[in-house]
Amino acid sequence: MAERGRGWARAVRGLLLDVSGVLYDSGAGGGVPIAGSAEAVRRIKASGLKLQLCTNETQATRENFVRKLRAMGFDVSVAEVTAPAPAACRLLRERGLRPHLLVHDDLVPEFADIDKTNPNCVVLGDAAENFTYANLNEAFRLLIGMEKPVLISLGKGRYYKETDGLKLDVGAYMKALEYACDVQAEVVGKPAKKFFESALAELGVPAEQAIMIGDDIVSDVGGAQQCGMRALQVRTGKYRPSDENHPEVKPDAYVNNLAEAVDIILQQL
């Protein structure tokens, strides 16, 4: 069960939810929902609490991502998803950057309106099977050849969970390119503060009245807390028992799953 002290559940107006590892476990056939999570989302909406999905999902467009979630029984819309690719597109336009994309094939349509000729930066996402030596080396050569290399990463997670086990995430490849090119990546996605601030703006709730619920101790919990939010870690998804001894990040509470968190929060309304 969750920890005894439940002060963290009071005065809440909105929830930010991580998706993979909280709502479902990704994998073959699109993945499988975590028990009780679809009903928990319905209960959140019925309660009048505001809801925003705050995800580092970069293997699909938001439209296809929402289509998959709805097929699993989740009542969500595209407007309720804060994801890295649209934020990266805004950044690219603002700075006149033309990206070389090393991303999942299914994410490429998000960048359809972005000029990609003669690239002057590299955008890195969770490319999955596209993380080949040849593709990473191409990105390396582009960066190393730039006078002022710009590497934009759609998150920096170390790993995530699929139905057949843990998988390396984009952060591992980001660190390889940082090291090889002596460059500091700009992270667009969790745990970047601007990304959480954008999600809060879309949620329409101030940080002190919002709770983030995630399975990643650093990207979800640590990132949310640095913005002044309360944050819970679920014991589903990529959660490992060792997370509870993290030297720097301490969640406001641990809960076994999203359904349990929602039970406690709704009791305090």
Side-chain angles (χ1 to χ4, degrees):
M1 290 296 290
E3 279 60 40
R4 290 178 183 175
R6 294 182 174 184
W8 57 265
R10 299 193 180 100
V12 179
R13 289 180 50 213
L15 300 178
L16 293 178
L17 304 183
D18 180 32
V19 180
S20 178
V22 175
L23 300 188
Y24 77 103
D25 285 324
S26 58
V32 295
I34 292 169
S37 56
E39 177 61 22
V41 169
R42 283 193 288 274
R43 294 179 66 205
I44 292 167
K45 292 196 165 189
S47 74
L49 288 172
K50 293 189 175 183
L51 172 70
Q52 192 75 17
L53 305 184
C54 188
T55 177
N56 271 2
E57 168 65 42
T58 57
Q59 288 196 9
T61 63
R62 281 178 301 165
E63 287 77 11
N64 287 339
F65 184 51
V66 166
R67 193 173 296 121
K68 179 173 78 171
L69 289 175
R70 292 183 71 86
M72 290 185 193
F74 293 101
D75 177 20
V76 294
S77 66
V78 172
E80 292 171 321
V81 177
T82 301
C89 287
R90 286 194 296 272
L91 182 152
L92 294 168
R93 290 190 187 97
E94 288 167 4
R95 291 167 53 183
L97 292 171
R98 302 179 304 278
H100 168 77
L101 300 176
L102 179 44
V103 300
H104 196 281
D105 289 342
D106 292 342
L107 190 71
V108 172
E110 288 273 19
F111 296 88
D113 297 330
I114 299 294
D115 182 4
K116 294 178 280 291
T117 59
N118 189 24
N120 57 4
C121 72
V122 169
V123 170
L124 192 67
D126 180 14
E129 302 303 324
N130 284 344
F131 276 136
T132 63
Y133 177 80
N135 287 344
L136 281 163
N137 203 51
E138 183 180 8
F140 158 73
R141 286 176 170 174
L142 282 166
L143 286 168
I144 205 74
M146 295 175 188
E147 185 177 343
K148 293 182 179 180
V150 176
L151 173 61
I152 297 168
S153 186
L154 306 180
K156 67 173 187 178
R158 294 173 297 161
Y159 55 85
Y160 56 93
K161 183 185 178 186
E162 290 200 335
T163 51
D164 62 346
L166 299 176
K167 302 291 179 72
L168 280 175
D169 203 352
V170 62
Y173 302 96
M174 178 194 87
K175 286 294 184 182
L177 289 173
E178 282 186 330
Y179 178 67
C181 302
D182 194 22
V183 61
Q184 183 79 38
E186 300 177 42
V187 179
V188 180
K190 297 177 294 185
K193 190 172 183 180
K194 283 186 178 179
F195 189 69
F196 277 105
E197 289 171 346
S198 176
L200 282 168
E202 292 174 0
L203 185 67
V205 169
E208 61 273 14
Q209 295 180 340
I211 292 179
M212 173 73 196
I213 303 175
D215 68 330
D216 189 309
I217 186 72
V218 174
S219 290
D220 295 329
V221 175
Q225 287 178 333
Q226 75 172 345
C227 290
M229 275 184 275
R230 287 161 279 177
L232 312 183
Q233 186 176 16
V234 291
R235 295 186 175 107
T236 56
K238 68 167 68 172
Y239 163 83
R240 318 296 289 166
S242 59
D243 291 344
E244 301 196 22
N245 299 313
H246 195 279
E248 297 171 5
V249 183
K250 305 296 180 188
D252 290 85
Y254 294 95
V255 290
N256 288 324
N257 49 48
L258 176 62
E260 182 182 337
V262 171
D263 279 344
I264 297 169
I265 291 166
L266 296 187
Q267 287 168 16
Q268 302 292 323
L269 290 182

